[in-house]
Amino acid sequence: MDVVDIYELSPTQQGMLFHTVYAPETGMYFEQRHCLLQGDLDRKAFKQAWQQVVNRHSVLRTEFHWQDTDKPLQVVYDTVALPWLEADWQDFTAVQQAGKLETFLTRERVKGFQLDQAPLMRCALFILGEQKHRFVWSYHHLLMDGWCNGVLIKEVLTLYQGQVSLSHLPTPKPYRTYIEWLQQHDQGQAQAYWQQTLQGVSAPTPLGISRQRQHSHSLQDEAAHREHQAWLSTVLSTDLKTFSQQARLTLNTLFQGAWAVLLSRYSGLTDVVFGITVAGRPPQMSGVESMVGLFINTVPLRSNLPHDTILLPWLQQLQKDQRDRETYGYSALTDLQTWSDVSRGTPLFESLLVFENYPVSIETATQGMAGLSLQDGQGYERTNYPLTLVVIPGDTIQL
């Protein structure tokens, strides 16, 4: 392997690197996706397609160095071999297969990644039956955001089915392009905007529940981290979409408003702050939609809810403010902390709202596949926030 590029990290990468190194036993920002593959699968071609995708995108051949350097750096290699595990579980019962899968998933999370050893990604394929496979894809969040999942799956399946050869796919822009774009910004305007937005914020909005610092918990401490899933009914999901369209609001704005109201009720405050994720992909950068890397950023959303607030104008203002947050959404959270009145070492917010609305979803990426279907898709991730709400739109909205 030869080094082909070295450059700095984005602000979001720096934050994730800090939290991962600071508390390695928590499995922070370890991403895991797995699904059931039904139908005829050419295992050799499937593995080859994944390796080709790694060959295409520089960020998938990247490792990170932070010791003995003035600032953290990411190092890109010309080639890396994607770690690939394959095992035959056909002799086990369905219950045994499920047990073995859970054991494997947990072991992978505990194993984690050596951040200074590329690649920070690995795959596993388990044969469950003649036309039944379980595929597991693990990677560190430092490499990419959720937007990239659909982009990569679509590329993998395109290459797997032989619809085009690798040479016929458009050459993707390297992640370095985005880092260079970030470095061109004048921080003065962003600082002025955030200082005005956060003026008077001296403490995070309390959740109203007692908790311990999350970084003290390891992966083995199940009580420290729990996940709960809920689905809104089809009727309610449709009603929310219809209302947002009629009011010319995004569904994202609707959930931001709901979360602000909820925090206000629990905290007893009319001025609340919580975290949101912004896509971070500059529309003026050509080809940014198909770039693979970590573009998202976490920024604070501040909202005032006086008791005489009229709902619709308030939601419309929330949406208008979202455009400004996107404009300055590249700012590092560590900088925002210093631009607020919150004391050093205290977080700006204790809850994070993530709205996952990607242009290429796993479902759309797998449409039109002949003889193979992806089912039972599941995922795992852990942030450094005490409470994270993920909203996934669809026919039935998932929380």
Side-chain angles (χ1 to χ4, degrees):
M1 300 194 307
D2 294 324
V3 173
V4 292
D5 208 353
I6 300 176
Y7 50 91
E8 297 178 22
L9 280 61
S10 72
T12 306
Q13 283 181 313
Q14 291 178 34
M16 287 185 182
L17 177 67
F18 169 78
H19 287 292
T20 304
V21 173
Y22 181 66
E25 75 284 353
T26 60
M28 204 78 75
Y29 295 109
F30 182 92
E31 301 283 312
Q32 201 172 56
R33 307 279 181 266
H34 62 97
C35 66
L36 192 64
L37 299 175
Q38 290 272 26
D40 294 318
L41 178 68
D42 183 335
R43 294 191 290 273
K44 183 179 178 181
F46 190 60
K47 177 182 177 182
Q48 184 181 20
W50 274 97
Q51 181 63 58
Q52 287 177 311
V53 164
V54 171
N55 298 343
R56 270 175 56 76
H57 298 282
S58 59
V59 77
L60 303 183
R61 307 189 306 275
T62 297
E63 65 188 26
F64 297 82
H65 294 268
W66 60 95
Q67 295 176 319
D68 302 321
T69 60
D70 293 334
K71 56 184 66 177
L73 297 170
Q74 42 194 332
V75 177
V76 183
Y77 289 93
D78 58 346
T79 59
V80 296
L82 176 64
W84 188 275
L85 173 67
E86 209 164 293
D88 190 341
W89 288 357
Q90 293 183 91
D91 291 337
F92 297 98
T93 66
V95 173
Q96 289 172 327
Q97 288 174 349
K100 288 177 71 67
L101 176 64
E102 282 305 311
T103 300
F104 174 78
L105 294 176
T106 302
R107 193 169 66 238
E108 281 288 280
R109 296 167 194 168
V110 172
K111 181 180 177 181
F113 290 101
Q114 294 293 322
L115 302 185
D116 58 353
Q117 296 179 19
L120 305 186
M121 187 168 108
R122 51 182 179 262
C123 298
L125 187 65
F126 301 111
I127 309 167
L128 307 182
E130 190 173 332
Q131 293 194 324
K132 192 176 180 183
H133 297 76
R134 173 67 63 172
F135 176 64
V136 181
W137 174 26
S138 302
Y139 61 89
H140 199 283
H141 207 345
L142 276 166
L143 298 185
M144 56 186 154
D145 50 39
W147 181 303
C148 303
N149 289 348
V151 173
L152 287 180
I153 292 292
K154 187 174 182 178
E155 284 192 8
V156 166
L157 297 177
T158 299
L159 292 166
Y160 168 74
Q161 292 181 300
Q163 295 175 358
V164 296
S165 64
L166 191 61
S167 60
H168 285 85
L169 284 176
T171 302
K173 283 192 174 181
Y175 186 58
R176 164 187 268 281
T177 309
Y178 172 65
I179 299 296
E180 291 173 344
W181 178 84
L182 280 176
Q183 293 171 339
Q184 294 170 1
H185 281 88
D186 176 12
Q187 286 291 332
Q189 288 183 333
Q191 181 175 350
Y193 166 76
W194 286 115
Q195 282 180 328
Q196 181 180 2
T197 300
L198 298 172
Q199 186 176 12
V201 176
S202 58
T205 302
L207 294 174
I209 53 176
S210 62
R211 67 177 183 88
Q212 293 176 304
R213 294 298 298 168
Q214 191 178 10
H215 65 241
S216 65
H217 300 298
S218 69
L219 275 165
Q220 282 81 4
D221 187 0
E222 277 300 310
H225 178 86
R226 290 288 176 89
E227 183 175 295
H228 180 72
Q229 293 182 329
W231 285 263
L232 304 186
S233 69
T234 305
V235 173
L236 180 54
S237 298
T238 301
D239 286 347
L240 289 173
K241 291 175 204 172
T242 301
F243 171 76
S244 63
Q245 289 168 358
Q246 290 174 344
R248 296 185 177 181
L249 298 168
T250 64
L251 203 55
N252 187 13
T253 298
L254 213 53
F255 276 94
Q256 288 175 352
W259 195 244
V261 170
L262 191 71
L263 286 181
S264 178
R265 296 288 177 85
Y266 270 88
S267 65
L269 302 175
T270 57
D271 185 3
V272 299
V273 180
F274 57 95
I276 59 166
T277 54
V278 292
R281 292 177 182 252
Q284 61 270 37
M285 185 183 293
S286 64
V288 71
E289 299 87 358
S290 57
M291 287 176 66
V292 174
L294 185 67
F295 293 86
I296 61 164
N297 197 14
T298 302
V299 297
L301 185 156
R302 184 184 188 182
S303 181
N304 285 290
L305 299 91
H307 295 300
D308 59 351
T309 298
I310 309 259
L311 180 64
L312 198 52
W314 175 72
L315 286 171
Q316 289 167 340
Q317 183 62 46
L318 206 61
Q319 181 155 299
K320 181 177 178 294
D321 293 342
Q322 176 70 4
R323 301 190 192 104
D324 293 331
R325 280 190 293 271
E326 287 278 357
T327 301
Y328 300 107
Y330 55 81
S331 301
L333 197 53
T334 50
D335 289 336
L336 300 185
Q337 184 86 20
T338 61
W339 296 338
S340 75
D341 295 328
V342 176
S343 60
R344 185 180 178 88
T346 302
L348 265 175
F349 43 82
E350 294 196 334
S351 67
L352 175 66
L353 175 64
V354 180
F355 189 84
E356 292 192 352
N357 190 23
Y358 306 130
V360 181
S361 65
I362 301 298
E363 289 72 21
T364 58
T366 56
Q367 286 176 356
M369 287 180 58
L372 192 65
S373 65
L374 272 66
Q375 302 173 13
D376 188 31
Q378 298 182 45
Y380 167 91
E381 61 184 340
R382 183 180 292 192
T383 72
N384 62 295
Y385 299 101
L387 181 61
T388 300
L389 172 66
V390 180
V391 181
I392 304 174
D395 293 336
T396 54
I397 297 171
Q398 184 181 352
L399 306 177

